[in-house]
Amino acid sequence: MTTHRPSMKISARSTTRVLVRVLVRSIALICLVPMVAAQRKANPRPDTEPTTVTSAAGTTEVGTLSGTQYRIDIPAAWSGNPKHALVVYFHGYSESLFTYRADGPLNEQTQPIFDRGYAIIQSAFSTSGWALAEAYPETEQLRQYFLKKYEQPATGKKAAKEMETIVAGGSMGGALVVAELELNPKPFAGGLDLCGSVGPTDLAFQRRFAWRAAFDFYFPNLMPPLVPTPPDFRESHALRVRVLDALTANPAAATALRGLMDLHSDRDVADQIVYFTFVVADMQHRAGGNPFDNRNFLYSGASPTSTAADNALNDGVRRYAAEPQARDYLLHHYTPNGRLGRPMLALHTTYDPRIPGNTLAVYGEQVAIAGFSQNLVQQYVRRDGHCAFTQEEVGRTFDELIQWIHNGKRPPAGLLPIPATH
């Protein structure tokens, strides 16, 4: 979905309906808070002796807590700095379980933060896929473990609670940044959202489902069934090639799908259709049924010059109904309430085929309605790709967030400022 040609028609009235539903559903999300509180009361200890590697750069610890792997990175200068600081980092959506190696490198999002002297903790989460329900409490358990082992002995229990802590995450991790700053803001000074899937999960995932249904209209029986999607479905290069070949052989259908999905190329369409199928299967499994419903979805954008293609698609596409209890799962994981309790700086590319750059727009309205607009800023870089940032860009964005937190200097929205050359 883009601002110049939305794939779902969104009027002021429909936006209001979405946001009213958001505010109602947000009440149910308080059930997550006791789960986090229970983790705070626990006395987390590694399941076995963790692996620790020390180098000139610092110390890395990898272990497991309650069966879930974690990684802790502490810069060499951290222990000698009287003002310790921590970043709680959430990784993105993964089709397989995350694993860490103590001798492995940090990624392009965490390395520039580590280079600035911040300790970093990250949980692998106990499940793959859209693991919000697991990631939230498991990461809080890791934070408590870190405080007890590393911070309290150095500064004392009271100072440990007051340590400057930033929450950051990429892609799916961006949704977890929002969840933390809405449901559990007290431990955090601010948040960094990098290419995040921020906003109502239901809205974004229903759109993906609708696009997969549209693909089936143009290319029946090419992909596995949509409801239910086979639970053992996996992405493969061979399947992406098969979809791309079909698109190449049917230019009219390929053009329609590029328009509907606001994608630049047939390759992007092929990649996303296969990926969306895995996401649908993941959510159907997690929800215990089908949470997706395209009966009220009005398809738009199949042709830039005529509504005939839209009419044919809307008349002919197969419509699916959601199972109520499954839909509730999707709504609860996660529908934000807009009460952004700390400053959050978001960074996106101008063209992201997986999470459109204007994804934050609906969440921005939620934040405004809740009265927290002063805590949200979105910036962008001029680049194509999902999370396609350089380490230098992530570092500059992080620096802006820290200045905002320390000095109250709110970063400018828009293009990530380019530093002046000397």
Side-chain angles (χ1 to χ4, degrees):
M1 185 172 71
T2 64
T3 52
H4 66 276
R5 190 173 64 237
S7 297
M8 180 186 288
K9 290 186 175 179
I10 300 179
S11 65
R13 182 178 300 174
S14 63
T15 299
T16 300
R17 286 198 298 268
V18 168
L19 293 173
V20 167
R21 186 184 70 189
V22 163
L23 293 174
V24 171
R25 290 290 181 179
S26 69
I27 297 172
L29 294 173
I30 61 174
C31 65
L32 293 178
V33 176
M35 183 164 56
V36 174
Q39 294 289 358
R40 288 199 194 103
K41 295 174 184 176
N43 184 22
R45 295 180 181 177
D47 301 334
T48 58
E49 187 65 24
T51 301
T52 303
V53 173
T54 300
S55 67
T59 299
T60 299
E61 175 185 323
V62 169
T64 58
L65 287 171
S66 303
T68 301
Q69 197 177 39
Y70 68 85
R71 173 170 174 153
I72 295 172
D73 290 274
I74 303 175
W78 193 81
S79 59
N81 185 342
K83 187 172 176 58
H84 292 173
L86 171 69
V87 168
V88 175
Y89 178 79
F90 290 104
H91 71 69
Y93 190 91
S94 177
E95 297 180 23
S96 58
L97 281 175
F98 248 59
T99 58
Y100 298 117
R101 293 194 349 256
D103 60 350
L106 289 165
N107 67 24
E108 65 281 353
Q109 294 182 2
T110 50
Q111 185 64 54
I113 295 172
F114 179 84
D115 291 342
R116 283 159 170 77
Y118 285 75
I120 300 172
I121 63 172
Q122 44 188 322
S123 170
F125 315 151
S126 58
T127 64
S128 58
W130 193 251
L132 271 63
E134 296 80 15
Y136 193 75
E138 289 166 0
T139 301
E140 176 61 19
Q141 182 183 46
L142 175 60
R143 189 179 73 87
Q144 294 297 326
Y145 166 71
F146 176 86
L147 292 179
K148 184 172 183 180
K149 180 173 181 178
Y150 290 103
E151 182 62 10
Q152 290 180 12
T155 63
K157 192 171 183 179
K158 184 176 184 298
K161 289 183 178 180
E162 298 172 352
M163 177 178 58
E164 180 175 273
T165 304
I166 309 297
V167 59
S171 195
M172 180 186 76
L176 286 155
V177 170
V178 168
E180 286 282 19
L181 296 184
E182 290 189 347
L183 300 179
N184 187 35
K186 188 175 180 180
F188 302 103
L192 181 64
D193 160 35
L194 299 169
C195 52
S197 183
V198 171
T201 298
D202 181 68
L203 188 65
F205 281 27
Q206 295 291 351
R207 187 171 59 233
R208 291 174 168 183
F209 178 87
W211 288 337
R212 214 342 275 274
F215 179 86
D216 291 349
F217 169 77
Y218 293 112
F219 299 97
N221 304 317
L222 181 63
M223 293 291 290
L226 195 49
V227 178
T229 301
D232 59 350
F233 175 84
R234 293 293 181 270
E235 286 196 74
S236 70
H237 174 72
L239 185 55
R240 286 191 290 269
V241 169
R242 184 182 176 192
V243 172
L244 181 58
D245 287 346
L247 292 165
T248 303
N250 189 340
T255 298
L257 285 164
R258 289 197 308 272
L260 290 165
M261 300 170 68
D262 284 311
L263 294 176
H264 289 179
S265 69
D266 291 349
R267 183 174 298 278
D268 285 346
V269 173
D271 289 348
Q272 299 316 308
I273 287 297
V274 176
Y275 169 70
F276 292 168
T277 304
F278 180 89
V279 173
V280 168
D282 175 35
M283 296 309 298
Q284 288 174 351
H285 172 73
R286 286 178 168 276
N290 177 46
F292 301 106
D293 196 315
N294 69 333
R295 290 174 298 173
N296 292 325
F297 193 97
L298 181 60
Y299 291 87
S300 176
S303 170
T305 59
S306 171
T307 58
D310 291 340
N311 292 337
L313 174 58
N314 281 291
D315 291 348
V317 70
R318 183 172 178 179
R319 304 289 181 168
Y320 298 87
E323 298 171 52
Q325 79 285 356
R327 184 72 179 275
D328 284 344
Y329 179 91
L330 188 59
L331 289 164
H332 293 166
H333 299 89
Y334 175 67
T335 300
N337 57 38
R339 299 183 63 82
L340 194 62
R342 295 289 187 271
M344 187 180 83
L345 180 57
L347 184 67
H348 222 101
T349 58
T350 46
Y351 174 67
D352 184 336
R354 185 147 296 182
I355 301 175
N358 64 350
T359 295
L360 203 68
V362 171
Y363 182 61
E365 291 189 47
Q366 293 176 264
V367 172
I369 289 172
F372 288 80
S373 289
Q374 74 279 3
N375 283 341
L376 179 62
V377 172
Q378 166 143 354
Q379 296 181 336
Y380 66 88
V381 295
R382 298 171 180 145
R383 192 168 298 114
D384 292 1
H386 180 52
C387 300
F389 310 123
T390 66
Q391 290 192 26
E392 189 269 340
E393 288 166 342
V394 173
R396 276 195 282 134
T397 307
F398 186 77
D399 291 342
E400 286 197 304
L401 174 64
I402 297 305
Q403 287 294 314
W404 187 7
I405 292 167
H406 290 177
N407 305 327
K409 183 182 178 183
R410 192 171 187 266
L415 180 66
L416 175 65
I418 300 172
T421 56
H422 298 284

